[in-house]
Amino acid sequence: MDGRVIGPGPYRATKLWNETIKLFRGGMPLRRHWAHFRYYDWSFTGSEAVDYLHELLRRNHNFGPEVTRYQTLQLLKKFLKAHVIEDIKGRHGTEDFEDNSHLYRFPTLSPLKSFPTRPLLRDRSDLPRLIRWDDYEELPQRENIPPLKSAVMTSDLWNKRHSVAIGDVHECKLIRRKEITTKQVDHIWKSMTVAHLQRVLGLMSLDGVLNPAYVNGKHIVHNIFSVNKTGIVILENKAEDMPYWVVSAMKCLANWPNGNESKQPIYPGFERDVLKTVGDYFQRLKEPLLTYHLYEVFVNILSLLQEQEVATEALQVSCLLLPPPNRRRLQLLLRLMSRVCQNPHLPPLNDAIATRTLMVQMFSHCVLGSVDEMDLDELLATKLVTFMMEHHNTIFQAPSKLRRQVEEHLSHLKRVQIKYAGSDTDFSASPAFCKQISRVDSEEQKVIGTQTPLHELLEGLIADKELPAKDKRKRLKQFQRSYPEVYQSRFPTEESKAAVIPEKTPRLKPPLMFFNLKKSFEPFQRSWSFRA
């Protein structure tokens, strides 16, 4: 099986299920077996199936060497229930697969699963659209706002501001921003997080992988900002937190032998009972910590585990989508598992298997699982949980790239914007030459400090030699209509105007005698044309 991320449409878990069956059916050795004084061709024993499939899964990069024989046996039980295999008498479903000499065979019918049908996104409009600054309504000017101090403008800046009057730029409209509501902030975090997740997973679309309707922007904001010094989520509603006795048991194991805060008497096997207490709590949860809705997202991440940085970023973004209680439980559980595996002072928690294997087996199905019991939940969860346990400190950090992008977008929305008539271009990033001022300052600017820049603007227009005479006369007329007093002071008489502004060159009319001669030649011209 290739390790690429599966595109939109088919679900990766179903594809892995079908491909595992194909590999098993295609490679499982079949031969003649004797049972009850008769032979059966094309059959295999339960132990042979466990041996072959176990080695097959361990060599496959989708599962890896962490797969145990017990997990392989559980998968074969699922195969028997799903009629991937049947016993030698054709029974399946209600029978239980056994790791012994009992005989099994492959059925003639195809055991492959059809891909589940889910409502796909109709188009990109189903994804939450980012809020833009022009989505807000223009607010009326309030009278109780104290007047703002007018900015000191240079001559060039002033010319730019008044260049609207002479037709250099379109008239602009100043828009005061509304305060961004909490609901709008949540919406922005949701839309940008979903888009970022799609890029990290390398998918053209999230159809069949994630339904944005199940993404809550409020959860994302809470998971990023409502954390303690160690990065653990803080819950507003304490009733959603784990019971006190579970937290105490987890602390006891994580800090062994110094974690017995309740000073309970320690006896041989005490640490195993504490682990069983923690395990019972997590195994009784109604759904896995990664939730059923996000199952396909985390299964898609499995193919990225070979690229540690990419997989870590994908997990960082995906874990932001979790409800805060789930994220908190997952953080504490993975931290516990990591500390238990690294604690040399902790006695063995099981006589048969190593502590690391025990922790992964005990809690993996509490972390990842699907609604469909036929999926490869335990095998997929084993690999994913092992990776998350090894990198839990990094996974639960907010992705810096996403956080920077959202903060820049929110900062952009909070700035005062300038919108030009007939244009949707956003000029907020460029130096703005329209600035909101109070009414008092506006009246003062009409009387004080405006003459010099206007004179400079007019003189610059007159001295522009590259401007055609026709355009220059047009601009001067526009200036005259906008600032008649300044124009009159520069051109008090017609003579002063004629000395600077080029007059139109009159078109010479042909003399009257020309038209008379033309009429006299018309008869001859018609006769010549006819003869020709």
Side-chain angles (χ1 to χ4, degrees):
M1 288 181 282
D2 60 271
R4 294 173 296 176
V5 176
I6 296 174
Y11 300 123
R12 182 168 178 80
T14 303
K15 190 172 190 299
L16 285 177
W17 171 270
N18 289 342
E19 290 187 353
T20 303
I21 293 174
K22 290 179 182 178
L23 290 174
F24 178 52
R25 286 173 61 97
M28 179 66 203
L30 305 177
R31 61 186 180 88
R32 175 178 293 183
H33 289 83
W34 286 84
H36 306 293
F37 303 104
R38 60 172 298 185
Y39 65 86
Y40 298 91
D41 290 327
W42 311 105
S43 61
F44 53 88
T45 67
S47 298
E48 290 173 348
V50 176
D51 291 339
Y52 177 78
L53 184 58
H54 184 211
E55 188 62 26
L56 174 67
L57 295 175
R58 285 171 55 85
R59 293 198 310 267
N60 191 293
H61 70 271
N62 285 301
F63 306 103
E66 297 288 341
V67 177
T68 63
R69 187 177 181 87
Y70 173 79
Q71 291 174 326
T72 306
L73 178 61
Q74 297 303 311
L75 178 59
L76 284 167
K77 290 182 178 181
K78 290 185 177 182
F79 280 178
L80 182 61
K81 186 175 182 180
H83 204 192
V84 176
I85 59 177
E86 61 185 13
D87 75 354
I88 204 63
K89 296 182 179 180
R91 294 173 298 187
H92 68 279
T94 58
E95 303 295 320
D96 194 14
F97 185 88
E98 299 178 5
D99 186 1
N100 54 23
S101 59
H102 193 78
L103 294 183
Y104 299 90
R105 67 187 182 190
F106 291 117
T108 56
L109 299 177
S110 173
L112 302 182
K113 291 173 56 177
S114 59
F115 291 115
T117 302
R118 294 185 184 179
L120 303 180
L121 298 177
R122 293 185 297 276
D123 50 38
R124 294 186 63 86
S125 63
D126 286 351
L127 290 172
R129 184 178 66 87
L130 278 181
I131 296 176
R132 302 183 304 172
W133 65 268
D134 52 355
D135 288 339
Y136 297 91
E137 298 178 357
E138 183 176 358
L139 287 178
Q141 179 72 25
R142 292 181 293 178
E143 297 294 337
N144 58 352
I145 297 179
L148 303 174
K149 293 183 179 179
S150 59
V152 178
M153 295 182 290
T154 62
S155 176
D156 292 339
L157 187 60
W158 199 96
N159 290 343
K160 287 182 180 180
R161 177 174 180 176
H162 288 268
S163 60
V164 175
I166 59 175
D168 285 346
V169 297
H170 296 290
E171 182 178 0
C172 63
K173 179 175 66 173
L174 188 65
I175 303 176
R176 272 183 63 243
R177 301 268 55 80
K178 283 183 178 179
E179 290 294 330
I180 303 178
T181 65
T182 303
K183 185 177 181 180
Q184 290 166 342
V185 172
D186 296 343
H187 175 89
I188 292 171
W189 271 103
K190 171 181 175 177
S191 57
M192 297 191 73
T193 302
V194 171
H196 191 75
L197 176 62
Q198 179 178 327
R199 289 193 297 269
V200 175
L201 292 179
L203 298 175
M204 297 296 294
S205 170
L206 290 178
D207 292 355
V209 177
L210 175 66
N211 187 345
Y214 295 122
V215 180
N216 191 325
K218 187 176 181 179
H219 291 167
I220 299 174
V221 175
H222 188 100
N223 290 334
I224 291 180
F225 297 103
S226 299
V227 296
N228 58 21
K229 294 181 180 180
T230 59
I232 304 295
V233 171
I234 302 173
L235 300 180
E236 297 178 355
N237 185 3
K238 298 302 180 181
E240 297 178 341
D241 202 354
M242 293 183 291
Y244 175 77
W245 53 270
V246 177
V247 178
S248 299
M250 296 177 71
K251 288 181 179 179
C252 179
L253 277 180
N255 302 312
W256 185 274
N258 302 317
N260 190 9
E261 296 179 353
S262 59
K263 305 301 180 182
Q264 295 183 4
I266 297 179
Y267 51 87
F270 176 78
E271 65 283 348
R272 297 189 182 189
D273 290 341
V274 174
L275 177 61
K276 185 178 184 302
T277 299
V278 177
D280 288 343
Y281 170 77
F282 281 98
Q283 291 167 3
R284 292 175 182 175
L285 295 176
K286 294 181 179 179
E287 69 172 347
L289 295 175
L290 296 181
T291 73
Y292 292 134
H293 297 311
L294 299 178
Y295 177 74
E296 290 291 338
V297 174
F298 287 98
V299 170
N300 272 266
I301 296 176
L302 283 169
S303 60
L304 304 175
L305 297 185
Q306 294 176 336
E307 304 177 36
Q308 180 177 329
E309 293 185 1
V310 179
T312 300
E313 184 178 4
L315 287 170
Q316 285 179 337
V317 181
S318 302
C319 288
L320 288 178
L321 309 182
L322 295 173
N326 288 47
R327 182 180 171 96
R328 177 177 171 82
R329 290 184 178 93
L330 183 61
Q331 284 179 287
L332 294 176
L333 177 60
L334 292 175
R335 187 174 68 170
L336 167 67
M337 296 170 62
S338 178
R339 290 187 178 183
V340 167
C341 294
Q342 298 173 5
N343 189 352
H345 304 290
L346 190 65
L349 298 174
N350 189 284
D351 297 330
I353 57 178
T355 300
R356 176 187 172 89
T357 305
L358 174 65
M359 300 302 290
V360 174
Q361 287 186 10
M362 179 176 288
F363 295 109
S364 59
H365 65 282
C366 305
V367 175
L368 180 68
S370 66
V371 179
D372 188 355
E373 296 180 356
M374 294 297 104
D375 283 328
L376 309 172
D377 295 347
E378 293 186 12
L379 298 176
L380 298 178
T382 297
K383 188 173 183 180
L384 182 65
V385 171
T386 301
F387 184 89
M388 295 181 71
M389 181 180 66
E390 295 173 349
H391 304 89
H392 70 96
N393 287 328
T394 309
I395 288 173
F396 290 101
Q397 295 176 3
S400 57
K401 185 185 300 183
L402 171 63
R403 187 166 182 171
R404 182 174 63 254
Q405 291 173 349
V406 176
E407 289 175 350
E408 288 177 356
H409 186 74
L410 291 174
S411 176
H412 168 73
L413 294 177
K414 293 176 182 178
R415 289 197 294 263
V416 174
Q417 305 292 339
I418 301 168
K419 190 173 183 181
Y420 290 81
S423 174
D424 293 331
T425 308
D426 179 12
F427 291 91
S428 62
S430 60
F433 58 88
C434 287
K435 181 177 178 62
Q436 186 179 15
I437 60 176
S438 66
R439 295 180 180 179
V440 177
D441 291 338
S442 176
E443 294 298 328
E444 291 178 353
Q445 284 195 4
K446 291 181 181 179
V447 181
I448 303 174
T450 59
Q451 298 300 320
T452 301
L454 282 174
H455 279 296
E456 292 179 359
L457 183 63
L458 181 57
E459 293 297 336
L461 184 59
I462 295 172
D464 190 353
K465 296 181 179 181
E466 297 182 359
L467 190 65
K470 181 179 178 180
D471 293 338
K472 182 178 292 188
R473 287 193 297 270
K474 183 178 179 181
R475 296 288 180 86
L476 288 173
K477 285 184 178 180
Q478 291 175 345
F479 189 95
Q480 183 182 11
R481 288 195 297 268
S482 301
Y483 307 104
E485 297 178 359
V486 178
Y487 188 88
Q488 182 65 27
S489 64
R490 178 62 177 85
F491 303 114
T493 62
E494 290 296 327
E495 290 76 9
S496 60
K497 178 180 177 181
V500 176
I501 303 175
E503 295 291 340
K504 292 184 180 179
T505 304
R507 295 179 60 184
L508 297 176
K509 296 182 180 181
L512 182 61
M513 182 176 64
F514 174 79
F515 292 103
N516 294 334
L517 289 173
K518 183 178 180 182
K519 291 181 179 180
S520 62
F521 278 105
E522 285 181 356
F524 297 99
Q525 186 177 6
R526 286 195 297 270
S527 62
W528 292 338
S529 302
F530 179 76
R531 291 176 182 178

